[in-house]
Amino acid sequence: MERKQFLKSLGAGAAFALTFPCLHGCSSDNQETPGTIVEEPSGVDFTIDLMSSEATKLANNGGFILKNLVVVVKNLEGEFVAASQVCSHEAYDQVRFVENDGGIFYCDVHGSRFAQNGSPLNQVDGNPARQLKVYNTELNEEENVLRVFES
């Protein structure tokens, strides 16, 4: 049987069944977005009970949590640092803490990298990055509560 005859014998139903998964898998609707574009948080002032389950990851150096669009970190030296989860490059909510280079803030959408004080460490799209917003932290050791706030 020739190929043309074989394909005709399959019919439209079989052809659709064979091609639909590929078309569906290749559609742009199926692609995951790298994050959400959001506004920089303002008026940041909240506390974290360091004994709560929410703060479990802050027990270890290098651990971080996300709260109210803020990345709260216990850095590699054991100090608490907090920065905006919103990248200064294009406002995606994908800034995280990574242990590279002694601990930096990193946005994986376009590769923006920031020091713990918010200073940009690289250029993105050929342009110098802007400062990442960093918040104050204050530890109340008696109550095991960390306050994160703007000055």
Side-chain angles (χ1 to χ4, degrees):
M1 179 181 290
E2 289 184 25
R3 184 172 56 137
K4 190 174 184 181
Q5 286 177 321
F6 175 73
L7 292 174
K8 277 186 177 181
S9 71
L10 285 177
F16 179 77
L18 292 171
T19 58
F20 180 74
C22 178
L23 293 174
H24 179 68
C26 298
S27 77
S28 61
D29 293 340
N30 198 31
Q31 295 176 357
E32 288 186 36
T33 57
T36 304
I37 295 177
V38 296
E39 288 186 31
E40 179 81 41
S42 62
V44 170
D45 193 346
F46 60 87
T47 59
I48 300 168
D49 177 354
L50 295 176
M51 302 306 286
S52 69
S53 60
E54 166 189 47
T56 303
K57 292 181 180 178
L58 295 176
N60 299 316
N61 293 1
F64 71 90
I65 63 170
L66 307 175
K67 183 172 181 168
N68 301 340
L69 291 175
V70 175
V71 182
V72 181
V73 177
K74 186 171 187 183
N75 69 15
L76 301 178
E77 292 78 34
E79 300 167 345
F80 290 103
V81 181
S84 176
Q85 185 180 328
V86 181
C87 185
S88 63
H89 174 240
E90 285 190 359
Y92 280 96
D93 63 349
Q94 294 299 300
V95 174
R96 304 295 189 264
F97 184 78
V98 294
E99 296 183 19
N100 302 358
D101 303 320
I104 60 168
F105 292 104
Y106 176 75
C107 179
D108 65 359
V109 177
H110 297 108
S112 298
R113 301 172 63 216
F114 305 91
Q116 290 180 38
N117 66 3
S119 300
L121 297 173
N122 64 332
Q123 291 189 2
V124 180
D125 300 331
N127 299 315
R130 294 186 317 270
Q131 180 85 11
L132 183 68
K133 181 140 186 156
V134 174
Y135 301 100
N136 298 306
T137 60
E138 183 177 84
L139 177 62
N140 180 331
E141 292 185 52
E142 290 178 14
E143 297 179 17
N144 280 318
V145 172
L146 179 69
R147 179 179 176 213
V148 177
F149 60 100
E150 286 185 76
S151 45

